[in-house]
Amino acid sequence: MPGPDTKLSNDLSNELPGATGKLVARSNRSLGTAKPLSFEAPVEIVRGSGTLLFDADGTEYLDVYSVLPTVGHSHPRVVEAIAAQTALSDPPPGFLNRAVIEYSEALLGTLPAGLDNVLYANSGSEANDLALRIAKASTGRSGIIVTRNANHGGTTETAAISPALGGAARLAPWVRLVDAPVGDGSAFAHDVAAAAAELQDSTHGFAALIADSIFASDGVQPGAPGFLFPVLDAVHSAGGLYIADETQAGLGRVGTGLWGFERHDDGDRRFVPDIVTLGQSMANGLPVGAVIAGRDLVNDFTASGNQLTDAGGSPVVIAAASAVLDVVRDERLIEGASVVGGYIQAGLAMLAEFHSLIGTVRGSGLVIGIDIVRNGAPDQAQAVAIVNELRRRHVLLAVTGPHNNTLTVRPSLTFGTADAERFLTELDSAIRATRIRDAA
C-alpha cells in the first residue's frame, strides 16, 4: 500500500468550520490535490520556534513530525546566517565563493576518506536523481534495487524507484524490490544479492542499491549495527554501487555519529558507501541537496557533458547549512539525540505494558518507529486515529511503513527530555481516547 493515509480528503473540506474551512476551500481551488493536507483537521502554521509550531490563533503544537528543521525551527544562528548572506549577495553559479568552498571542505571532512567531492542540488529528490545518473553512467547499466516501501524523491527518475509514492505498479522496469531489513537485518544481504543477480541476467544489468540508512519509509528498520557490511560486499561483488540516502538519517539524527551509515562502523572497518546523498535537512529546510562521491566517479560523470543543477548550493542556503553543521557540533546534539531517543524508547516500553495496541518499537536516536497492532496484526485505522487524536492534543506526528501503521518519531535534534515527556504523556492519552471511541 503506497504511502501514509493521513491526508485530508477534498470531500471533507466542506465539513470544516469557519475560517479553516474557507482556507481549505481556497487551497483546493488553487492548489488542488497537488498540495495534500495532513490530519482530519488541517493546521495553519504561521511560525515555529525550537520544537514548537504555532497556528494562526497562537495555539502551540509540539512538532514530532518534521524531519527538515534539523536544529529546530528558527534557530537563531541559522536565521542570522541566512540574513547576513542575503544582505550581501546570492550570486549565480560559476563564480568563486569562499563560504561555499569552506563549507564543502568542512562537510567532506566529516566523511570517510575517498568521499572527496560534493555536488549540490536543490533538494534531496534532485540529489538522489543525480546519484542515480552517476551510478548508471559509471557502470554502464541501469538496474536499481530499492526496498519495498522506499521513498527516494519525486522527480521522474526518483519517483520511478519510490514504491511508497504509488505502489510497485508504477515503478520503472529496471527497478527491483527487496524486503526491508527486519529484526537484526541478517537476511537483507541475501535478498540484495539475489536481486542483483536477477538484474545482471536481465537486459538492464545492475547499477546500484540505494538505501535510506535508517529505512524510515519502511517503518524504521535500524537492524543490528554492522548488518550492512555484507550488503555492501554483495553490491560490490555484483559490480554495483552503494548509494546511502542520508536525507532522514543524516546529520546526527540516529545518535551514533553525524551519518546514519556510521552506526555500522566497528573497530576494524569503517562503512564507506560509494555515494552519499543529502536533502533539505542539511540547511534546516531550505531548498538544497548534495551528492558526495569519490573524485574519479565525479570527474568521469562531469567529463561526459552531463549538466548539473544551475542554482543548487547557492551562498544563502550554504550559509544556513554551515550554521546547521556548527550548531550540531557546538550544542552536542548527536549526544542529545542518543540520550533523548533512549528516554523515549524506555517510556514506550512502559506504555506497551498498559496498551496492547503498541507492538514492536524500533529505532536509533531520534528516529523511532512504533507499530500499532490489533491482535498482533497491523492496524492502520487505529494508527491514523491516534495521529489525529494527537493533533487534537496539539502534538504533530505521522505514520509510515508498508502497512501505514507505524507511528514515526523524527523530531529536530533539539528535542529534549521535557518534549519527550510531553509526547509520551499525550500518546498515552491519545491511545486511551481512541480506544474509548472504538469501544463505543
Side-chain angles (χ1 to χ4, degrees):
M1 182 178 294
D5 187 17
T6 58
K7 305 304 180 187
L8 173 74
S9 167
N10 285 354
D11 296 337
L12 297 177
S13 61
N14 293 331
E15 302 175 12
L16 296 172
T20 298
K22 292 178 182 178
L23 193 60
V24 169
R26 290 172 59 189
S27 176
N28 288 342
R29 284 195 299 270
S30 59
L31 301 174
T33 57
K35 182 69 173 178
L37 299 170
S38 298
F39 312 110
E40 290 176 348
V43 187
E44 182 190 358
I45 296 298
V46 297
R47 69 182 181 92
S49 177
T51 59
L52 302 176
L53 292 168
F54 298 85
D55 68 13
D57 297 323
T59 303
E60 173 192 291
Y61 295 82
L62 180 65
D63 186 6
V64 198
Y65 179 96
S66 303
V67 74
L68 296 182
T70 300
V71 296
H73 298 281
S74 304
H75 192 289
R77 291 177 65 178
V78 177
V79 172
E80 181 181 356
I82 293 169
Q85 183 59 51
T86 302
L88 294 174
S89 70
D90 197 21
F95 296 93
L96 282 171
N97 186 280
R98 187 177 301 273
V100 174
I101 295 169
E102 289 175 348
Y103 170 74
S104 301
E105 292 171 342
L107 180 66
L108 293 171
T110 69
L111 290 150
L115 294 168
D116 43 23
N117 267 191
V118 56
L119 305 173
Y120 292 107
N122 292 310
S123 65
S125 293
E126 279 194 14
N128 284 332
D129 188 299
L130 179 55
L132 294 179
R133 290 165 56 200
I134 292 173
K136 291 180 179 183
S138 173
T139 63
R141 300 184 291 272
S142 62
I144 303 294
I145 299 173
V146 296
T147 51
R148 201 165 298 281
N149 204 59
N151 183 358
H152 294 292
T155 67
T156 299
E157 188 86 348
T158 55
I161 64 164
S162 296
L165 296 183
R170 297 188 182 182
L171 300 181
W174 36 265
V175 176
R176 296 295 181 271
L177 298 179
V178 293
D179 290 334
V182 295
D184 64 4
S186 58
F188 190 55
H190 175 271
D191 294 344
V192 169
E198 195 275 326
L199 277 171
Q200 285 292 66
D201 290 338
S202 74
T203 58
H204 309 293
F206 172 51
L209 164 75
I210 179 168
D212 163 16
S213 297
I214 197 69
F215 299 92
S217 296
D218 292 284
V220 185
Q221 301 289 349
F227 88 90
L228 284 180
F229 275 116
V231 180
L232 182 67
D233 293 340
V235 168
H236 288 165
S237 294
L241 300 180
Y242 189 109
I243 303 171
D245 182 346
E246 290 281 312
T247 56
Q248 296 199 61
L251 293 162
R253 197 169 296 272
V254 301
T256 56
L258 194 63
W259 308 114
F261 61 80
E262 283 186 290
R263 180 171 169 270
H264 298 275
D265 290 353
D266 60 33
D268 300 320
R269 185 180 181 188
R270 293 194 73 182
F271 188 90
V272 185
D274 299 291
I275 301 174
V276 176
T277 60
L278 305 174
Q280 291 166 259
S281 58
M282 64 189 286
N284 230 43
L286 267 63
V288 68
V291 177
I292 303 163
R295 183 170 289 108
D296 290 344
L297 202 59
V298 172
N299 286 346
D300 289 346
F301 177 74
T302 55
S304 65
N306 289 282
Q307 296 298 310
L308 307 179
T309 180
D310 288 334
S314 73
V316 169
V317 297
I318 293 302
S322 182
V324 167
L325 205 59
D326 290 345
V327 169
V328 170
R329 178 196 62 225
D330 296 346
E331 297 186 9
R332 301 179 64 86
L333 295 184
I334 299 174
E335 295 91 331
S338 178
V339 171
V340 177
Y343 183 89
I344 294 172
Q345 291 213 46
L348 290 169
M350 294 177 64
L351 288 183
E353 296 180 6
F354 299 97
H355 297 298
S356 61
L357 290 175
I358 297 180
T360 304
V361 175
R362 304 169 300 275
S364 178
L366 286 174
V367 188
I368 300 169
I370 309 161
D371 286 346
I372 301 300
V373 299
R374 189 182 299 271
N375 298 323
D379 192 338
Q380 173 184 339
Q382 186 67 50
V384 172
I386 292 170
V387 165
N388 282 304
E389 179 62 28
L390 282 169
R391 178 257 178 268
R392 283 187 281 272
R393 296 171 179 275
H394 304 153
V395 174
L396 305 181
L397 193 67
V399 298
T400 189
H403 304 289
N404 295 337
N405 72 309
T406 303
L407 307 181
T408 307
V409 175
R410 52 176 195 179
S412 74
L413 297 182
T414 56
F415 206 75
T417 53
D419 297 317
E421 189 61 40
R422 176 179 173 184
F423 165 65
L424 292 167
T425 298
E426 296 297 353
L427 177 61
D428 178 35
S429 298
I431 293 174
R432 293 179 189 277
T434 54
R435 292 200 67 171
I436 289 171
R437 284 200 294 269
D438 185 50

